[in-house]
Amino acid sequence: MTKALVLEGVDAWYGAAQVLFGLSLRVAPGEVVALLGRNGAGKTTTLRAIMGLVPRRRGRIEYGGVDLTGLPTHRIARLGIGYVPEDRRILATLTVRENLEVGRQPPRPGAPVWSVSRLFDLFPSLASMADRSAGGMSGGEQQMLAIARTLMGNPSLLLLDEPSEGLAPLVVEELARTLSKLAGEGLSVLLAEQNVHFARRLAGRAAIVEKGRVQVEGTMEAIVADEGLRRRYLAV
Ligand code: ATP
């Protein structure tokens, strides 16, 4: 893994409304960084800006030294960036196995190589429902499937948008265990989250976003320990 993600002075707009203001952020190769902040702080927009999904943006976004500005989303994905959006985009009429096949892409140098059977080892609950239709799965199962399908693209960096949202505590726990195994494979992760307790299981470092800017950066440990900070910028 040799690719770093660098955002420097990123501005973004939806129509006339500016949503990101000079946002800067860095994810080192193999690092898990949490992007924390309340609803509407700009977390989703940051991930979308990286993927080239925000209509208007300015500033520098680089991955492995390649400038992503102006590249279409599919080219950005081909550089090894996998994006799991908040709404998961499961193909409800296809089976679990077919959903995974849809995500399949060639191996990439420096990134872990995934197959359906390797993913079934990582997500045993998906293996047991391989031939069932994805539409009937629970929220937690759909989240696992969305992550697994993105992994079929063999990314070296994973962008996760609030994966723990709406999931029962036991499922959140299972997800945290699985994602920490993934991080152990050397995958870099940028994790947008409101759930600090979930984020601290995975991330070493965090950036707190508020009003479209990174207001605070630090180790996850220091942020969790600072009650004033959590009260000011986070939900807890
Ligand atoms: P959430 O947890 O709700 O996803 P977030 O931190 O990810 O919060 P964003 O979704 O990035 O926040 O939203 C940042 C701001 O941009 C908010 O004020 C939101 O209302 C606005 N916004 C988001 N999407 C759009 C859109 N498609 N058109 C106009 N404004 C938008």
Side-chain angles (χ1 to χ4, degrees), residues 114-156:
W114 296 97
S115 61
V116 172
S117 67
R118 262 200 87 205
L119 284 168
F120 282 164
D121 289 343
L122 184 68
F123 297 94
S125 53
L126 292 183
S128 62
M129 50 182 75
D131 299 309
R132 296 234 297 266
S133 108
M137 300 167 89
S138 71
E141 289 155 359
Q142 290 196 3
Q143 183 60 258
M144 311 265 182
L145 179 57
I147 295 170
R149 187 180 59 186
T150 300
L151 289 172
M152 284 294 285
N154 303 311
S156 47

Side-chain angles (χ1 to χ4, degrees), residues 14-15 17 19-20 37-46 86 161-162 165 192 194 209:
Y14 289 112
V19 178
L20 298 185
R38 291 205 178 91
N39 262 339
K43 303 180 301 295
T44 298
T45 306
T46 302
E86 207 170 357
D161 199 353
E162 300 210 28
E165 198 193 15
Q194 291 202 45
V209 186

Side-chain angles (χ1 to χ4, degrees), residues 97-116:
R97 193 189 300 279
E98 286 164 348
N99 266 274
L100 293 177
E101 291 296 346
V102 166
R104 186 191 290 280
Q105 282 192 35
R108 272 168 242 288
V113 180
W114 296 97
S115 61
V116 172

Side-chain angles (χ1 to χ4, degrees), residues 5-215:
L5 174 75
V6 179
L7 279 74
E8 229 171 73
V10 174
D11 298 325
W13 291 261
Y14 289 112
Q18 185 168 1
V19 178
L20 298 185
F21 298 85
L23 187 135
S24 298
L25 185 73
R26 180 177 274 271
V27 181
E31 191 182 27
V32 181
V33 176
L35 196 59
L36 303 173
R38 291 205 178 91
N39 262 339
K43 303 180 301 295
T44 298
T45 306
T46 302
L47 302 187
R48 290 176 56 85
I50 296 166
M51 293 312 292
L53 289 165
V54 172
R56 185 171 157 224
R57 72 196 150 134
R58 193 170 62 191
R60 198 161 69 95
I61 305 183
E62 278 183 16
Y63 186 56
V66 177
D67 183 3
L68 306 186
T69 319
L71 290 185
T73 302
H74 69 274
R75 293 269 312 278
I76 294 171
R78 259 193 252 141
L79 293 171
I81 306 184
Y83 174 45
V84 185
E86 207 170 357
D87 62 11
R88 298 165 192 160
R89 313 253 170 91
I90 291 303
L91 303 166
T93 57
L94 300 188
T95 66
V96 167
R97 193 189 300 279
E98 286 164 348
N99 266 274
L100 293 177
E101 291 296 346
V102 166
R104 186 191 290 280
Q105 282 192 35
R108 272 168 242 288
V113 180
W114 296 97
S115 61
V116 172
S117 67
R118 262 200 87 205
L119 284 168
F120 282 164
D121 289 343
L122 184 68
F123 297 94
S125 53
L126 292 183
S128 62
M129 50 182 75
D131 299 309
R132 296 234 297 266
S133 108
M137 300 167 89
S138 71
E141 289 155 359
Q142 290 196 3
Q143 183 60 258
M144 311 265 182
L145 179 57
I147 295 170
R149 187 180 59 186
T150 300
L151 289 172
M152 284 294 285
N154 303 311
S156 47
L157 167 68
L158 202 54
L159 309 179
L160 298 174
D161 199 353
E162 300 210 28
S164 76
E165 198 193 15
L167 305 186
L170 272 177
V171 183
V172 171
E173 180 57 32
E174 185 188 345
L175 188 63
R177 270 199 308 269
T178 306
L179 289 175
S180 58
K181 270 192 220 158
L182 268 181
E185 298 254 350
L187 202 72
S188 315
V189 181
L190 180 58
L191 171 71
E193 258 302 334
Q194 291 202 45
N195 180 341
V196 177
H197 301 291
F198 178 73
R200 76 185 293 195
R201 299 277 309 272
L202 305 164
R205 220 156 49 73
I208 300 181
V209 186
E210 168 91 354
K211 300 200 172 90
R213 288 188 178 85
V214 173
Q215 308 280 356

